[in-house]
Amino acid sequence: MNAEISTPTDELTQRLSATPRGARLARRLTATQLAAWGHPHDTEVNDTAQHLVAELAANAVTHGRVPGRDFELRLLRLPENTLRIEVSDPRGDRRLRYVNDEDGEHGRGLILVTLLADTWGVMERDVGKMVWAEIGLGCVTDGRICRPD
């Protein structure tokens, strides 16, 4: 056994089915990963990350879906105590847009992302697009003590 081989602890990458079930799983994976990184389920950081993933994953499975193709969730702990959330889908031809109809039932997800994220954006890929959002992680709970990560 090679002791040098290890799994990075500052990153989670997972492909998920482009279905509502896949979107729910993305949110649960986010909650579990943040708890493992020291941000329990009932903290503001964990809740905010879950909401962001829920919106981005819902957009990926609703608007970015291509039959037979998955979407990808990636969580990264960056320097300066920042969480980067990336959701990629195979559909690059559909641009993101904000709600235009005040009485419409859809289109408010990006407004929520704008309000919750410190910063966010879209990157084109060879196939599809990747929507990312970043939030500050604050501190890590260590029992009852809150310490900087």
Short mmCIF file of all heavy atoms in Angstrom, two decimals, residues 96-140:
data_model
loop_
_atom_site.label_atom_id
_atom_site.label_comp_id
_atom_site.label_asym_id
_atom_site.label_seq_id
_atom_site.Cartn_x
_atom_site.Cartn_y
_atom_site.Cartn_z
N LEU A 96 -28.18 32.21 -18.60
CA LEU A 96 -28.89 32.48 -17.35
C LEU A 96 -29.65 33.79 -17.49
O LEU A 96 -29.18 34.73 -18.11
CB LEU A 96 -27.90 32.59 -16.19
CG LEU A 96 -27.05 31.37 -15.93
CD1 LEU A 96 -26.10 31.64 -14.77
CD2 LEU A 96 -27.90 30.16 -15.62
N ARG A 97 -30.83 33.84 -16.88
CA ARG A 97 -31.57 35.09 -16.92
C ARG A 97 -32.37 35.27 -15.64
O ARG A 97 -32.74 34.30 -14.98
CB ARG A 97 -32.49 35.17 -18.13
CG ARG A 97 -33.33 34.01 -18.37
CD ARG A 97 -34.07 34.07 -19.71
NE ARG A 97 -35.01 32.98 -19.70
CZ ARG A 97 -36.27 33.10 -19.35
NH1 ARG A 97 -36.77 34.26 -19.03
NH2 ARG A 97 -37.05 32.05 -19.32
N TYR A 98 -32.56 36.54 -15.33
CA TYR A 98 -33.35 36.90 -14.15
C TYR A 98 -34.83 36.94 -14.52
O TYR A 98 -35.19 37.08 -15.69
CB TYR A 98 -32.95 38.28 -13.63
CG TYR A 98 -31.62 38.30 -12.93
CD1 TYR A 98 -30.47 38.67 -13.60
CD2 TYR A 98 -31.52 37.97 -11.59
CE1 TYR A 98 -29.25 38.70 -12.96
CE2 TYR A 98 -30.30 37.99 -10.94
CZ TYR A 98 -29.18 38.36 -11.63
OH TYR A 98 -27.98 38.38 -11.00
N VAL A 99 -35.67 36.89 -13.51
CA VAL A 99 -37.11 36.97 -13.72
C VAL A 99 -37.47 38.31 -14.36
O VAL A 99 -36.93 39.36 -14.01
CB VAL A 99 -37.88 36.76 -12.39
CG1 VAL A 99 -37.61 37.88 -11.41
CG2 VAL A 99 -39.35 36.63 -12.63
N ASN A 100 -38.37 38.25 -15.32
CA ASN A 100 -38.86 39.48 -15.97
C ASN A 100 -40.31 39.76 -15.59
O ASN A 100 -40.75 40.89 -15.65
CB ASN A 100 -38.76 39.35 -17.50
CG ASN A 100 -37.32 39.33 -17.97
OD1 ASN A 100 -36.45 39.95 -17.36
ND2 ASN A 100 -37.07 38.62 -19.04
N ASP A 101 -41.02 38.72 -15.22
CA ASP A 101 -42.43 38.83 -14.91
C ASP A 101 -42.62 38.76 -13.39
O ASP A 101 -42.37 37.73 -12.77
CB ASP A 101 -43.20 37.70 -15.60
CG ASP A 101 -44.69 37.73 -15.32
OD1 ASP A 101 -45.18 38.74 -14.77
OD2 ASP A 101 -45.37 36.74 -15.65
N GLU A 102 -43.06 39.87 -12.81
CA GLU A 102 -43.24 39.91 -11.35
C GLU A 102 -44.24 38.87 -10.85
O GLU A 102 -44.14 38.39 -9.73
CB GLU A 102 -43.71 41.30 -10.91
CG GLU A 102 -42.65 42.36 -11.08
CD GLU A 102 -43.16 43.73 -10.66
OE1 GLU A 102 -44.28 43.82 -10.11
OE2 GLU A 102 -42.45 44.70 -10.90
N ASP A 103 -45.22 38.53 -11.68
CA ASP A 103 -46.24 37.57 -11.28
C ASP A 103 -45.90 36.14 -11.71
O ASP A 103 -46.65 35.22 -11.42
CB ASP A 103 -47.60 37.97 -11.86
CG ASP A 103 -48.08 39.30 -11.31
OD1 ASP A 103 -47.80 39.57 -10.12
OD2 ASP A 103 -48.70 40.07 -12.05
N GLY A 104 -44.78 35.95 -12.38
CA GLY A 104 -44.39 34.63 -12.86
C GLY A 104 -44.03 33.71 -11.70
O GLY A 104 -43.69 34.15 -10.61
N GLU A 105 -44.12 32.42 -11.96
CA GLU A 105 -43.84 31.43 -10.93
C GLU A 105 -42.38 30.99 -10.91
O GLU A 105 -41.95 30.31 -10.00
CB GLU A 105 -44.73 30.20 -11.15
CG GLU A 105 -46.20 30.49 -10.93
CD GLU A 105 -47.03 29.24 -11.09
OE1 GLU A 105 -46.47 28.13 -10.99
OE2 GLU A 105 -48.24 29.36 -11.31
N HIS A 106 -41.60 31.34 -11.91
CA HIS A 106 -40.22 30.88 -12.02
C HIS A 106 -39.29 32.06 -12.25
O HIS A 106 -39.72 33.17 -12.54
CB HIS A 106 -40.08 29.89 -13.18
CG HIS A 106 -40.99 28.72 -13.06
ND1 HIS A 106 -40.78 27.72 -12.15
CD2 HIS A 106 -42.13 28.40 -13.71
CE1 HIS A 106 -41.74 26.82 -12.26
NE2 HIS A 106 -42.57 27.21 -13.19
N GLY A 107 -37.98 31.81 -12.11
CA GLY A 107 -36.99 32.82 -12.47
C GLY A 107 -36.41 33.61 -11.32
O GLY A 107 -35.67 34.56 -11.53
N ARG A 108 -36.73 33.23 -10.10
CA ARG A 108 -36.22 33.98 -8.95
C ARG A 108 -34.98 33.34 -8.32
O ARG A 108 -34.40 33.89 -7.41
CB ARG A 108 -37.32 34.14 -7.90
CG ARG A 108 -38.41 35.06 -8.39
CD ARG A 108 -39.50 35.23 -7.35
NE ARG A 108 -40.51 36.14 -7.82
CZ ARG A 108 -41.46 35.84 -8.68
NH1 ARG A 108 -41.54 34.64 -9.18
NH2 ARG A 108 -42.35 36.74 -9.04
N GLY A 109 -34.57 32.20 -8.80
CA GLY A 109 -33.43 31.49 -8.23
C GLY A 109 -32.15 32.29 -8.25
O GLY A 109 -31.40 32.30 -7.28
N LEU A 110 -31.88 32.98 -9.35
CA LEU A 110 -30.64 33.75 -9.45
C LEU A 110 -30.67 34.98 -8.54
O LEU A 110 -29.62 35.44 -8.10
CB LEU A 110 -30.36 34.16 -10.88
CG LEU A 110 -30.00 33.00 -11.80
CD1 LEU A 110 -29.75 33.49 -13.22
CD2 LEU A 110 -28.79 32.25 -11.27
N ILE A 111 -31.85 35.49 -8.26
CA ILE A 111 -31.95 36.59 -7.29
C ILE A 111 -31.54 36.07 -5.92
O ILE A 111 -30.77 36.72 -5.20
CB ILE A 111 -33.38 37.17 -7.27
CG1 ILE A 111 -33.67 37.85 -8.60
CG2 ILE A 111 -33.54 38.15 -6.10
CD1 ILE A 111 -35.11 38.27 -8.79
N LEU A 112 -31.99 34.88 -5.57
CA LEU A 112 -31.60 34.27 -4.30
C LEU A 112 -30.10 34.01 -4.25
O LEU A 112 -29.44 34.29 -3.25
CB LEU A 112 -32.37 32.96 -4.09
CG LEU A 112 -32.19 32.28 -2.75
CD1 LEU A 112 -32.63 33.19 -1.61
CD2 LEU A 112 -32.97 30.98 -2.71
N VAL A 113 -29.53 33.52 -5.34
CA VAL A 113 -28.09 33.29 -5.41
C VAL A 113 -27.34 34.61 -5.20
O VAL A 113 -26.37 34.67 -4.45
CB VAL A 113 -27.69 32.62 -6.75
CG1 VAL A 113 -26.18 32.61 -6.94
CG2 VAL A 113 -28.25 31.20 -6.82
N THR A 114 -27.81 35.67 -5.84
CA THR A 114 -27.18 36.99 -5.68
C THR A 114 -27.22 37.47 -4.24
O THR A 114 -26.25 38.03 -3.74
CB THR A 114 -27.88 38.02 -6.60
OG1 THR A 114 -27.76 37.58 -7.96
CG2 THR A 114 -27.26 39.39 -6.46
N LEU A 115 -28.33 37.22 -3.55
CA LEU A 115 -28.47 37.65 -2.17
C LEU A 115 -27.64 36.81 -1.20
O LEU A 115 -27.11 37.34 -0.22
CB LEU A 115 -29.94 37.61 -1.75
CG LEU A 115 -30.86 38.61 -2.45
CD1 LEU A 115 -32.32 38.33 -2.09
CD2 LEU A 115 -30.48 40.04 -2.08
N LEU A 116 -27.51 35.52 -1.45
CA LEU A 116 -26.83 34.63 -0.51
C LEU A 116 -25.32 34.56 -0.72
O LEU A 116 -24.57 34.40 0.24
CB LEU A 116 -27.40 33.21 -0.61
CG LEU A 116 -28.83 33.03 -0.13
CD1 LEU A 116 -29.30 31.60 -0.40
CD2 LEU A 116 -28.96 33.37 1.34
N ALA A 117 -24.87 34.64 -1.96
CA ALA A 117 -23.44 34.47 -2.25
C ALA A 117 -22.68 35.77 -2.09
O ALA A 117 -23.22 36.86 -2.33
CB ALA A 117 -23.27 33.95 -3.68
N ASP A 118 -21.42 35.65 -1.67
CA ASP A 118 -20.56 36.83 -1.63
C ASP A 118 -20.24 37.27 -3.05
O ASP A 118 -20.15 38.47 -3.33
CB ASP A 118 -19.26 36.53 -0.88
CG ASP A 118 -19.51 36.20 0.59
OD1 ASP A 118 -20.53 36.67 1.14
OD2 ASP A 118 -18.68 35.49 1.17
N THR A 119 -20.07 36.31 -3.93
CA THR A 119 -19.84 36.56 -5.35
C THR A 119 -20.25 35.31 -6.12
O THR A 119 -20.28 34.22 -5.55
CB THR A 119 -18.36 36.93 -5.62
OG1 THR A 119 -18.20 37.29 -6.98
CG2 THR A 119 -17.43 35.80 -5.26
N TRP A 120 -20.60 35.47 -7.39
CA TRP A 120 -20.97 34.33 -8.20
C TRP A 120 -20.78 34.67 -9.67
O TRP A 120 -20.61 35.84 -10.02
CB TRP A 120 -22.40 33.85 -7.92
CG TRP A 120 -23.48 34.76 -8.42
CD1 TRP A 120 -23.97 35.87 -7.82
CD2 TRP A 120 -24.20 34.63 -9.65
NE1 TRP A 120 -24.95 36.44 -8.59
CE2 TRP A 120 -25.11 35.69 -9.72
CE3 TRP A 120 -24.16 33.72 -10.70
CZ2 TRP A 120 -25.98 35.87 -10.80
CZ3 TRP A 120 -25.03 33.89 -11.77
CH2 TRP A 120 -25.93 34.96 -11.80
N GLY A 121 -20.78 33.66 -10.52
CA GLY A 121 -20.61 33.91 -11.94
C GLY A 121 -20.84 32.65 -12.75
O GLY A 121 -21.21 31.60 -12.21
N VAL A 122 -20.58 32.77 -14.05
CA VAL A 122 -20.78 31.68 -14.99
C VAL A 122 -19.52 31.56 -15.85
O VAL A 122 -18.96 32.57 -16.26
CB VAL A 122 -21.98 31.95 -15.92
CG1 VAL A 122 -22.21 30.80 -16.88
CG2 VAL A 122 -23.23 32.24 -15.12
N MET A 123 -19.11 30.34 -16.09
CA MET A 123 -17.98 30.08 -16.98
C MET A 123 -18.41 29.10 -18.05
O MET A 123 -19.06 28.10 -17.75
CB MET A 123 -16.79 29.49 -16.20
CG MET A 123 -16.18 30.43 -15.19
SD MET A 123 -14.86 29.66 -14.21
CE MET A 123 -13.74 29.15 -15.50
N GLU A 124 -18.06 29.41 -19.29
CA GLU A 124 -18.32 28.46 -20.37
C GLU A 124 -17.29 27.35 -20.30
O GLU A 124 -16.18 27.55 -19.84
CB GLU A 124 -18.24 29.17 -21.72
CG GLU A 124 -19.38 30.14 -21.92
CD GLU A 124 -19.35 30.78 -23.30
OE1 GLU A 124 -18.74 30.19 -24.23
OE2 GLU A 124 -19.93 31.85 -23.44
N ARG A 125 -17.70 26.17 -20.73
CA ARG A 125 -16.82 25.01 -20.79
C ARG A 125 -16.83 24.47 -22.20
O ARG A 125 -17.64 24.90 -23.02
CB ARG A 125 -17.30 23.93 -19.80
CG ARG A 125 -17.28 24.39 -18.37
CD ARG A 125 -17.95 23.46 -17.39
NE ARG A 125 -18.19 22.10 -17.84
CZ ARG A 125 -17.93 21.02 -17.12
NH1 ARG A 125 -17.44 21.15 -15.92
NH2 ARG A 125 -18.19 19.82 -17.57
N ASP A 126 -15.96 23.51 -22.48
CA ASP A 126 -15.97 22.89 -23.82
C ASP A 126 -17.36 22.33 -24.12
O ASP A 126 -17.86 22.45 -25.23
CB ASP A 126 -14.93 21.78 -23.91
CG ASP A 126 -13.52 22.32 -23.93
OD1 ASP A 126 -13.32 23.50 -24.29
OD2 ASP A 126 -12.59 21.56 -23.59
N VAL A 127 -17.96 21.71 -23.11
CA VAL A 127 -19.33 21.22 -23.22
C VAL A 127 -20.10 21.82 -22.06
O VAL A 127 -19.82 21.53 -20.90
CB VAL A 127 -19.39 19.68 -23.16
CG1 VAL A 127 -20.83 19.20 -23.16
CG2 VAL A 127 -18.60 19.06 -24.30
N GLY A 128 -21.05 22.67 -22.34
CA GLY A 128 -21.91 23.22 -21.31
C GLY A 128 -21.35 24.43 -20.60
O GLY A 128 -20.55 25.18 -21.16
N LYS A 129 -21.79 24.59 -19.36
CA LYS A 129 -21.39 25.75 -18.56
C LYS A 129 -21.24 25.33 -17.11
O LYS A 129 -21.73 24.29 -16.70
CB LYS A 129 -22.42 26.88 -18.69
CG LYS A 129 -23.78 26.53 -18.09
CD LYS A 129 -24.78 27.62 -18.33
CE LYS A 129 -26.19 27.21 -17.99
NZ LYS A 129 -26.71 26.07 -18.71
N MET A 130 -20.57 26.20 -16.34
CA MET A 130 -20.40 25.98 -14.91
C MET A 130 -20.80 27.27 -14.21
O MET A 130 -20.32 28.35 -14.55
CB MET A 130 -18.95 25.63 -14.59
CG MET A 130 -18.73 25.29 -13.13
SD MET A 130 -18.03 26.66 -12.21
CE MET A 130 -16.42 26.76 -12.94
N VAL A 131 -21.73 27.15 -13.28
CA VAL A 131 -22.15 28.29 -12.47
C VAL A 131 -21.51 28.11 -11.10
O VAL A 131 -21.56 27.03 -10.52
CB VAL A 131 -23.69 28.37 -12.33
CG1 VAL A 131 -24.10 29.61 -11.56
CG2 VAL A 131 -24.35 28.35 -13.71
N TRP A 132 -20.87 29.17 -10.61
CA TRP A 132 -20.17 29.08 -9.34
C TRP A 132 -20.65 30.17 -8.39
O TRP A 132 -21.15 31.20 -8.82
CB TRP A 132 -18.65 29.17 -9.53
CG TRP A 132 -18.21 30.44 -10.21
CD1 TRP A 132 -18.07 30.66 -11.55
CD2 TRP A 132 -17.88 31.67 -9.58
NE1 TRP A 132 -17.67 31.95 -11.79
CE2 TRP A 132 -17.54 32.60 -10.59
CE3 TRP A 132 -17.84 32.09 -8.25
CZ2 TRP A 132 -17.17 33.92 -10.32
CZ3 TRP A 132 -17.47 33.41 -7.98
CH2 TRP A 132 -17.14 34.30 -9.01
N ALA A 133 -20.49 29.90 -7.12
CA ALA A 133 -20.81 30.88 -6.07
C ALA A 133 -19.82 30.68 -4.94
O ALA A 133 -19.36 29.56 -4.70
CB ALA A 133 -22.24 30.67 -5.56
N GLU A 134 -19.48 31.78 -4.27
CA GLU A 134 -18.55 31.70 -3.15
C GLU A 134 -19.16 32.37 -1.93
O GLU A 134 -19.84 33.39 -2.04
CB GLU A 134 -17.22 32.38 -3.50
CG GLU A 134 -16.44 31.65 -4.56
CD GLU A 134 -15.12 32.31 -4.90
OE1 GLU A 134 -14.79 33.37 -4.32
OE2 GLU A 134 -14.40 31.77 -5.76
N ILE A 135 -18.90 31.75 -0.76
CA ILE A 135 -19.31 32.32 0.52
C ILE A 135 -18.16 32.17 1.50
O ILE A 135 -17.34 31.26 1.38
CB ILE A 135 -20.59 31.65 1.09
CG1 ILE A 135 -20.38 30.14 1.29
CG2 ILE A 135 -21.80 31.92 0.21
CD1 ILE A 135 -21.50 29.45 2.05
N GLY A 136 -18.13 33.06 2.48
CA GLY A 136 -17.16 32.95 3.54
C GLY A 136 -17.57 31.86 4.51
O GLY A 136 -18.75 31.67 4.78
N LEU A 137 -16.57 31.14 5.02
CA LEU A 137 -16.86 30.04 5.94
C LEU A 137 -16.89 30.45 7.40
O LEU A 137 -17.35 29.69 8.24
CB LEU A 137 -15.82 28.92 5.75
CG LEU A 137 -15.98 28.12 4.47
CD1 LEU A 137 -14.82 27.16 4.28
CD2 LEU A 137 -17.30 27.36 4.47
N GLY A 138 -16.41 31.62 7.72
CA GLY A 138 -16.42 32.03 9.13
C GLY A 138 -15.47 31.19 9.93
O GLY A 138 -14.29 31.11 9.65
N CYS A 139 -15.99 30.47 10.92
CA CYS A 139 -15.13 29.65 11.77
C CYS A 139 -15.64 28.23 11.82
O CYS A 139 -16.76 27.93 11.42
CB CYS A 139 -15.06 30.25 13.17
SG CYS A 139 -16.64 30.36 13.99
N VAL A 140 -14.80 27.36 12.29
CA VAL A 140 -15.11 25.94 12.41
C VAL A 140 -15.45 25.64 13.86
O VAL A 140 -14.77 26.11 14.77
CB VAL A 140 -13.89 25.10 11.98
CG1 VAL A 140 -14.14 23.63 12.23
CG2 VAL A 140 -13.57 25.35 10.53
#
